[in-house]
Amino acid sequence: MTNKPIEVTICLGSSCFARGNNQNLEIIQAYFKEHNLTGKVDFRGHLCEEACKKGPTLKIADQVYYNVTPEKLGAILDSHFAEIHD
């Protein structure tokens, strides 16, 4: 039985990108690489999540996070991936 990768989407629309998802993108990619998660996640960018005023946005599985800052990102990622990373 194969495990389906966890879907992770980051908004890369101009508002979210300018508000910090440009930095968050790099942090997330480094986190997945550091914890050997690249094969366990389906990480994609979207052009707009229609929540510009709440951005930057990040979606992991069915959970959407708003106003994601680099300072909050580690705890968000750990809450979803701490049990599965190597």
Side-chain angles (χ1 to χ4, degrees), residues 38-66:
T38 53
K40 299 174 184 174
V41 296
D42 179 9
F43 184 46
R44 300 174 186 214
H46 281 270
L47 291 180
C48 190
E49 292 289 334
E50 301 296 327
C52 300
K53 291 183 180 183
K54 297 178 185 179
T57 63
L58 176 68
K59 183 177 179 183
I60 302 175
D62 291 326
Q63 176 70 46
V64 179
Y65 295 92
Y66 301 103

Side-chain angles (χ1 to χ4, degrees), residues 9-58:
T9 57
I10 185 170
C11 182
L12 297 176
S14 59
S15 179
C16 283
F17 195 79
R19 289 178 178 208
N21 265 353
N22 56 336
Q23 294 173 331
N24 292 339
L25 175 63
E26 293 177 16
I27 293 167
I28 294 167
Q29 289 172 324
Y31 182 94
F32 289 160
K33 184 175 181 179
E34 177 183 343
H35 295 290
N36 198 25
L37 293 169
T38 53
K40 299 174 184 174
V41 296
D42 179 9
F43 184 46
R44 300 174 186 214
H46 281 270
L47 291 180
C48 190
E49 292 289 334
E50 301 296 327
C52 300
K53 291 183 180 183
K54 297 178 185 179
T57 63
L58 176 68

Side-chain angles (χ1 to χ4, degrees), residues 66-78:
Y66 301 103
N67 300 308
V68 177
T69 63
E71 295 78 21
K72 295 177 185 177
L73 196 50
I76 291 170
L77 294 171
D78 282 343

